[in-house]
Amino acid sequence: RILSVSIQKLKESLREMALLVGEQLHERYLYQRSALARQFPFMMGNDVWKGGGALKPNDKVGSVLDSGTLGIGFIGGHNAMYALYGMGHGESTAAWETLRECLVVLNEVAGEMKAKYHLNYSVLATPAEGLSGRFTKLDVKRYGKIPGVNDREYYINSFHIDVKEEVRIADKIRLEAPFHALTLGGHITYIELDGEAKKNIRAIVKIVKLMKDNQIGYGSINHPIDTCRSCHYKGVIYDRCPICKSEDIQRMRRITGYLTGDLASWNSAKRAEERDRVKHH
Ligand SMILES: [Zn+2]
């Protein structure tokens, strides 16, 4: 009973927060309308926002902005479920269902905002590069350290299964796929492979097929690529290059939707997350 009250409370506060965010996005939109076309040379020059190409440099962008999107993002689905169930949605079906219901709430709010302002509101499954570490710090200050909830440097990306959880490839895809249809502003599901992936084309084809069959909107297979800066050898390099013994290694990883030039350029929260990621089998 206590749990069902907590779930109800969570959904109510989620709704309240999403409405606040929706209104804030609208306020920002009103302000941005007053910007001038020349402030967005790429967007206007390429007519990315419909009608933008026809504006003169000193015209206000105005209604051209209407074809942009207003995203309501979220992180830490896993952490929130852990707070309620002592387990994430990768382990508990009840937690999975609760997280799904939370996403339904966010979509309801996005729908209401759309109807109210006739703008493209959407729910966004975000990795929140900056917030991922900032929110945990703020929450520790406010609530103290809660094991499993905010005791790491980062919150888990959107609806993703905990990066530390040993979950089978097929299960990860099956559990995350239904959330893609509920996050139309953007989403991704990763499978982490070890460095031997490129030798096993069949396994990769199988994973892609599984993603397609489960209606994953955007799927990604991550595997590490290290490059020796001295002799340009590529592969998985542990301490030093197997060819020339150099220790000057560029470590390419995919942490969020795009490839990073080098791991060293990421903030500490995201680097900590990368360190914790388990490989999937
Ligand atoms: Zn080398």
Side-chain angles (χ1 to χ4, degrees):
R1 238 195 68 83
I2 294 170
L3 182 63
S4 74
V5 170
S6 304
I7 294 168
Q8 202 47 43
K9 261 192 165 163
L10 171 67
K11 285 199 254 179
E12 279 164 21
S13 62
L14 194 58
R15 193 183 152 74
E16 213 172 289
M17 188 56 70
L19 281 167
L20 180 71
V21 169
E23 293 296 347
Q24 188 271 338
L25 284 169
H26 185 251
E27 207 174 301
R28 191 183 65 175
Y29 156 84
L30 291 177
Y31 176 73
Q32 285 173 324
R33 281 179 64 98
S34 67
L36 304 177
R38 64 181 156 84
Q39 292 173 261
F40 310 90
F42 178 84
M43 300 300 274
M44 299 310 168
N46 291 286
D47 210 27
V48 177
W49 286 315
K50 205 172 166 190
L55 293 178
K56 294 192 187 70
N58 285 325
D59 285 346
K60 288 202 168 118
V61 294
S63 303
V64 160
L65 268 191
D66 292 3
S67 59
T69 61
L70 300 172
I72 302 175
F74 68 101
I75 49 170
H78 164 82
N79 308 80
M81 292 311 106
Y82 200 95
L84 284 173
Y85 292 91
M87 267 188 281
H89 56 299
E91 291 182 289
S92 154
T93 42
W96 188 92
E97 181 52 29
T98 299
L99 186 57
R100 195 194 64 82
E101 286 168 14
C102 287
L103 268 288
V104 170
V105 170
L106 289 183
N107 275 275
E108 280 167 6
V109 172
E112 287 164 29
M113 302 305 290
K114 245 188 252 184
K116 187 172 172 185
Y117 293 120
H118 303 285
L119 292 168
N120 301 319
Y121 279 89
S122 60
V123 179
L124 181 63
T126 175
E129 284 95 340
L131 273 187
S132 163
R134 200 172 92 85
F135 270 4
T136 44
K137 276 194 208 108
L138 290 172
D139 287 349
V140 166
K141 213 180 238 175
R142 193 155 162 192
Y143 305 105
K145 230 176 214 181
I146 307 165
V149 179
N150 61 7
D151 57 351
R152 292 188 213 158
E153 265 184 83
Y154 57 90
Y155 278 136
I156 300 293
N157 185 333
S158 64
F159 55 73
H160 288 186
I161 307 279
D162 183 4
V163 295
K164 275 186 158 181
E165 213 163 293
E166 301 275 352
V167 56
R168 296 186 58 81
I169 291 172
D171 290 332
K172 189 169 197 296
I173 292 171
R174 176 179 57 82
L175 289 166
E176 290 187 4
F179 291 103
H180 285 222
L182 291 166
T183 47
L184 297 180
H187 47 237
I188 190 166
T189 279
Y190 302 109
I191 296 299
E192 300 284 335
L193 296 183
D194 58 30
E196 299 308 297
K198 66 177 178 188
K199 295 179 193 157
N200 195 348
I201 305 291
R202 270 206 169 137
I204 291 176
V205 171
K206 215 171 138 186
I207 294 168
V208 172
K209 170 99 170 51
L210 209 54
M211 285 176 165
K212 178 180 177 286
D213 292 347
N214 281 273
Q215 294 179 308
I216 289 276
Y218 181 15
S220 160
I221 298 171
N222 296 344
H223 61 103
I225 302 172
D226 301 329
T227 307
C228 170
R229 284 199 178 100
S230 305
C231 75
H232 306 292
Y233 168 81
K234 271 185 204 292
V236 176
I237 304 173
Y238 296 97
D239 296 327
R240 42 180 68 222
C241 172
I243 308 299
C244 75
K245 310 290 174 217
S246 166
E247 288 180 20
D248 189 11
I249 309 300
Q250 184 195 45
R251 299 185 187 281
M252 176 101 88
R253 298 291 182 276
R254 185 182 175 123
I255 300 192
T256 59
Y258 35 88
L259 289 169
T260 67
D262 190 61
L263 204 49
S265 60
W266 281 85
N267 66 42
S268 67
K270 277 291 169 188
R271 280 212 304 268
E273 195 224 271
E274 203 278 339
R275 218 166 32 238
D276 283 350
R277 287 186 186 183
V278 297
K279 304 293 180 202
H280 300 119
H281 299 279

